[in-house]
Amino acid sequence: MQWEVVIGLEVHTQLSTESKIFSASSTAYGAEPNTQASAVDIALPGVLPVLNRGAVERAIRLGLALGSRINRKSVFARKNYFYPDLPKGYQISQFELPVVEGGSLTIRVGEQDKVVRLTRAHLEEDAGKSVHENFQGLSGIDLNRAGTPLLEIVSEPDMRSAAEAVAYAKALHSLVTWIGICDGNMQEGSFRCDVNVSVRPLGQAEYGTRREIKNLNSFKFMEQAIKYEVQWQINEIEDGRKIQQATILFDPETGETRMMRSKEDAHDYRYFPDPDLPPLVISEAWIERVRGELPELPEAMQARLQSQYGLSAYDAVTLTSSKALAAYFEATVAAGADAKLASNWITGELAATLNRAELDITASPIAAGSLAQLVRRVMDSTINNKTAKDVLKLMWESGDAADLIIERDGLRQESDSGAIEAIIDTVLAANAAMVEEYRAGKEKAFNALVGQCMKASKGKADPAMVNELLKRKLA
């Protein structure tokens, strides 16, 4: 039997406010445990929550960026459940009337674009955290996160593979950092994903029973967890067992998912409107002000990069994977680099070097202007591509400018036809067997001879000139 995978995501984004959603407590990461939890955050008797305007504004920004409906009136509710890190016994969230509804996000998987629909995005507070280190046989409770502002972004079950789910999560991560509502730090829990996974026979309209993988904070782990869970569900069904709705965890050590608890339904939480918070009313003027402050969004910039610079859709999507990367590209072009060459160097050799060093573009030791100088030297044939890669490595290690390295190390490209002909003559004389193979019809022998010529010139010969002159001599 052929199976179809059905995936929907619930993404918890920590909003970039300095204080919590209902109190003035700090949201700074890394403070001593229980030093940032006020009486309001844990709902001691006699205190009242006061909504943080900045959290609402960030929700509006996301809704506008996704083409969603901003509800002029939304309501906060109490979501009742017991958990050790939730001392007040309920979480303030939104249920029937969220601040944001609908909208969509376009993702790119391989060469295909796909539109993923958004169900809603609602404001809520985070709970505390259970800690186990240094507590033999016990658990500690840190309430610093209690009351931290979150925007939970819920998608429709539109994704059909782990690759699509990861592409969606990456695109959403890029967007929330792009518009400045979340720092996107996954290691610190600022961007966490719950993934709902089910399978059904291909062609069946009814959804299968879903299981929710909680708190994934790595795209790599997300892909691993989904692939394992999908195969586990298929095996269970094919072995005659039924899938039970459940909340599960992914163990990166084993690469497996495991049961956390049976999954609650909404009615289990006994939602009711929070009596301490009036309905949230958002005016048209507020929405329009926020709209006017939005930056150029990734999709709009992708279209502009293609029309303005003639880039491919793939290049445009890659360069707009983060706002910082897009800014770096435009600064490189503004400094005189050809757009296509700049794109190739940024997404190719520079990206690989950054990955090896585990750095992102904001920490690159090679500034956009410096890369532009290197690209210009390729454009005017001062150096060839191979030498340029060596120069980039030296720029990274020394911080020196491309021009300084080229002149200091004598790396200018050899474009004198007489000098190159002399090199070719020497190579042909020393590789008679290769010459015979080429003349016998083996094209690979020609490439080998070109390689020998480039080696003999220490990589400095103009490759195009070598090709042209070598063909003439072998004709």
Side-chain angles (χ1 to χ4, degrees):
M1 178 180 292
Q2 285 188 293
W3 296 92
E4 183 177 53
V5 180
V6 178
I7 299 171
L9 262 66
E10 299 171 13
V11 178
H12 293 84
T13 54
Q14 178 176 329
L15 298 174
S16 56
T17 56
E18 294 183 359
S19 59
K20 295 185 178 178
I21 188 168
F22 299 120
S23 80
S25 300
S26 172
T27 57
Y29 179 81
E32 286 295 314
N34 297 312
T35 58
Q36 295 178 175
S38 70
V40 173
D41 301 325
I42 57 177
L44 292 181
V47 298
L48 291 172
V50 177
L51 180 59
N52 186 329
R53 183 181 178 88
V56 179
E57 191 149 308
R58 284 160 177 77
I60 297 172
R61 286 170 76 85
L62 180 77
L64 293 175
L66 292 169
S68 309
R69 180 172 67 257
I70 311 298
N71 284 327
R72 275 41 174 183
K73 179 181 177 182
S74 62
V75 173
F76 286 96
R78 290 187 179 182
K79 180 181 180 182
N80 300 278
Y81 65 96
F82 170 79
Y83 217 68
D85 59 15
L86 188 68
K88 60 186 179 185
Y90 63 86
Q91 176 190 29
I92 302 177
S93 182
Q94 294 188 307
F95 182 50
E96 291 182 326
L97 284 174
V99 66
V100 172
E101 285 188 281
S104 63
L105 183 64
T106 301
I107 62 173
R108 190 167 185 83
V109 184
E111 296 298 316
Q112 301 295 319
D113 286 340
K114 175 168 183 168
V115 175
V116 177
R117 296 168 298 156
L118 276 295
T119 310
R120 56 189 276 151
H122 59 263
L123 288 163
E124 64 181 23
E125 61 178 346
D126 206 351
K129 179 182 178 185
S130 297
V131 289
H132 308 289
E133 297 83 4
N134 304 320
F135 293 93
Q136 291 186 347
L138 301 170
S139 292
I141 300 296
D142 178 6
L143 295 173
N144 279 355
R145 287 196 67 87
T148 297
L150 301 178
L151 188 65
E152 182 174 341
I153 306 162
V154 183
S155 82
E156 291 290 302
D158 286 347
M159 289 153 275
R160 295 292 177 267
S161 68
E164 288 186 3
V166 171
Y168 168 80
K170 285 183 175 179
L172 193 58
H173 182 272
S174 173
L175 181 62
V176 298
T177 54
W178 190 288
I179 61 177
I181 69 168
C182 174
D183 66 16
N185 191 319
M186 300 180 77
Q187 286 70 40
E188 295 178 2
S190 298
F191 189 89
R192 314 188 302 265
C193 302
D194 300 342
V195 184
N196 287 287
V197 180
S198 65
V199 298
R200 62 183 175 185
L202 188 62
Q204 176 179 299
E206 182 184 356
Y207 290 132
T209 302
R210 61 187 167 86
R211 303 212 312 165
E212 182 182 38
I213 313 172
K214 292 289 288 184
N215 289 332
L216 293 165
N217 62 354
S218 153
F219 299 129
K220 176 183 173 184
F221 292 158
M222 177 187 291
E223 183 171 13
Q224 291 176 350
I226 293 172
K227 286 183 175 178
Y228 177 86
E229 177 64 18
V230 166
Q231 193 56 53
W232 182 87
Q233 291 190 20
I234 291 173
N235 291 344
E236 287 290 293
I237 297 170
E238 290 185 340
D239 287 345
R241 292 184 284 273
K242 290 187 177 179
I243 304 298
Q244 301 297 321
Q245 186 170 311
T247 299
I248 57 179
L249 292 174
F250 176 67
D251 185 344
E253 295 294 325
T254 64
E256 299 177 353
T257 54
R258 59 181 169 81
M259 182 82 165
M260 180 181 179
R261 59 175 183 263
S262 59
K263 176 69 178 174
E264 299 86 350
D265 288 314
H267 62 260
D268 294 322
Y269 292 114
R270 301 291 191 271
Y271 283 96
F272 64 85
D274 192 307
D276 292 337
L277 285 161
L280 169 62
V281 177
I282 300 174
S283 69
E284 291 292 335
W286 192 4
I287 293 171
E288 290 312 308
R289 181 178 64 74
V290 174
R291 192 192 307 277
E293 294 172 354
L294 279 175
E296 182 182 28
L297 296 173
E299 282 189 48
M301 180 175 272
Q302 288 161 20
R304 180 172 63 79
L305 294 184
Q306 291 179 69
S307 63
Q308 183 174 345
Y309 299 116
L311 299 181
S312 67
Y314 176 83
D315 287 341
V317 170
T318 303
L319 290 169
T320 55
S321 60
S322 79
K323 194 174 183 181
L325 187 64
Y328 187 96
F329 165 74
E330 295 223 278
T332 305
V333 175
D338 172 80
K340 180 56 181 169
L341 279 177
S343 172
N344 290 347
W345 278 92
I346 292 169
T347 61
E349 200 67 18
L350 181 60
T353 308
L354 288 166
N355 285 339
R356 285 193 293 273
E358 298 183 349
L359 298 175
D360 68 21
I361 194 68
T362 60
S364 172
I366 299 176
S370 299
L371 183 69
Q373 186 180 82
L374 176 67
V375 174
R376 290 202 304 273
R377 294 301 161 256
V378 176
M379 292 162 58
D380 64 16
S381 299
T382 300
I383 55 176
N384 59 38
N385 266 312
K386 181 183 180 305
T387 303
K389 291 179 181 178
D390 297 335
V391 174
L392 182 80
K393 183 180 178 184
L394 293 170
M395 291 169 67
W396 180 280
E397 293 170 348
S398 67
D400 291 336
D403 282 353
L404 174 64
I405 293 169
I406 292 168
E407 297 305 324
R408 182 190 66 202
D409 296 352
L411 299 176
R412 279 182 172 272
Q413 182 167 255
E414 179 59 77
S415 299
D416 179 86
S417 60
I420 292 177
E421 281 197 77
I423 291 171
I424 292 173
D425 290 341
T426 303
V427 168
L428 292 179
N431 295 276
M434 283 188 196
V435 173
E436 289 304 315
E437 286 178 12
Y438 172 71
R439 287 179 170 147
K442 292 187 178 179
E443 286 296 325
K444 287 184 180 177
F446 182 82
N447 294 332
L449 288 168
V450 171
Q452 289 297 320
C453 292
M454 294 303 296
K455 182 179 179 182
S457 74
K458 297 181 179 177
K460 293 193 289 184
D462 181 337
M465 190 173 287
V466 169
N467 270 270
E468 181 185 342
L469 294 176
L470 185 58
K471 282 180 181 174
R472 278 193 214 164
K473 286 183 177 290
L474 290 171

